[in-house]
Amino acid sequence: MTLRVLGLSGSLRAKSTNRGLLRYAQAHAPAGMKIHIADLLEVPLYNADLAEKPPAVEHLLQEFTEADALLLACTEYNYSVAPALKNALDWASREPDNHLLRGKAAALIGAGGGMGTARAQYHLRQICVYLDLQVMTKPEFFASAFNDNFDTDGSLQDEKLQEKLLHSLQALKDWHQQLHGVK
């Protein structure tokens, strides 16, 4: 059985270090895991007054449907979660009975300045509790977006961080199996 993971980044920039984390994870996923990265660029802000969901939202919701687990690359804006990531979760949470999120395994990763997105990840954990996502608690993944850890295209270059990210991916796979009794 292949674990289907949906990667979401709070940053919309093509050369974002958080998107770079997802690209590295996608290219180096452990055996039995496939990572798909969602494109949130065209997803409008959640609006309950819309009579019909825009096509970009329908596409995103289908990606949530197909995912067994989530890998959330938590960009930090002003000490909190970036709007694009929160918005994607808001859209998914409005589906009947929260069926797109409830009980799914999730891992948080992030690259940024100062504390490497620790403050935003803390806020995101609170959001995930309400959404009934099952966020693994360890290992935590915080990375500095500076110090040559990433190249100018936002790609992860640091070998220690690469190893740490691979460890986080294996932990997500193990966490999903534990939650769902899969061996």
Side-chain angles (χ1 to χ4, degrees), residues 104-179:
K104 283 190 179 174
L108 308 183
I109 60 175
M115 298 171 65
T117 77
R119 292 171 290 230
Q121 286 191 38
Y122 177 70
H123 288 178
L124 184 55
R125 281 184 188 281
Q126 292 173 317
I127 294 165
C128 291
V129 165
Y130 182 79
L131 298 177
D132 291 327
L133 284 167
Q134 302 299 309
V135 178
M136 65 180 201
T137 56
K138 293 178 185 168
E140 294 181 309
F141 187 96
F142 310 107
S144 172
F146 307 103
N147 306 327
D148 298 323
N149 290 336
F150 296 84
D151 67 15
T152 57
D153 290 326
S155 297
L156 181 59
Q157 299 298 305
D158 182 82
E159 290 181 14
K160 288 182 182 177
L161 287 175
Q162 290 171 346
E163 188 175 311
K164 187 175 177 183
L165 183 54
L166 295 179
H167 181 68
S168 293
L169 293 176
Q170 184 60 51
L172 175 59
K173 184 177 175 186
D174 295 344
W175 178 237
H176 174 267
Q177 290 174 339
Q178 180 182 341
L179 288 171

Side-chain angles (χ1 to χ4, degrees), residues 32-48:
M33 178 185 283
K34 180 176 167 118
I35 299 173
H36 171 74
I37 302 171
D39 182 1
L40 304 179
L41 190 60
E42 301 298 322
V43 177
L45 291 175
Y46 174 75
N47 182 348

Side-chain angles (χ1 to χ4, degrees), residues 6-47:
L6 179 60
L8 297 121
S9 172
S11 178
L12 301 177
R13 289 186 321 108
K15 295 181 180 184
S16 155
T17 55
N18 284 283
R19 290 175 62 98
L21 290 173
L22 290 177
R23 287 191 305 272
Y24 188 87
Q26 183 180 51
H28 299 89
M33 178 185 283
K34 180 176 167 118
I35 299 173
H36 171 74
I37 302 171
D39 182 1
L40 304 179
L41 190 60
E42 301 298 322
V43 177
L45 291 175
Y46 174 75
N47 182 348

Side-chain angles (χ1 to χ4, degrees), residues 58 63 66 72 85 91 98 100 113 118-119 127 132 137 140 164 176:
E58 290 287 356
E63 291 172 320
E66 294 169 1
L72 306 176
L85 180 55
W91 275 108
N98 191 33
L100 296 180
R119 292 171 290 230
I127 294 165
D132 291 327
T137 56
E140 294 181 309
K164 187 175 177 183
H176 174 267

Side-chain angles (χ1 to χ4, degrees), residues 55-113:
V57 171
E58 290 287 356
H59 182 73
L60 176 64
L61 297 179
Q62 183 60 39
E63 291 172 320
F64 273 105
T65 299
E66 294 169 1
D68 301 311
L70 302 177
L71 182 60
L72 306 176
C74 185
T75 306
E76 185 169 298
Y77 290 174
N78 301 318
Y79 291 2
S80 193
V81 179
L85 180 55
K86 174 71 167 60
N87 186 52
L89 294 172
D90 287 343
W91 275 108
S93 73
R94 296 312 191 263
E95 290 300 288
D97 299 321
N98 191 33
H99 74 277
L100 296 180
L101 302 175
R102 186 183 61 247
K104 283 190 179 174
L108 308 183
I109 60 175

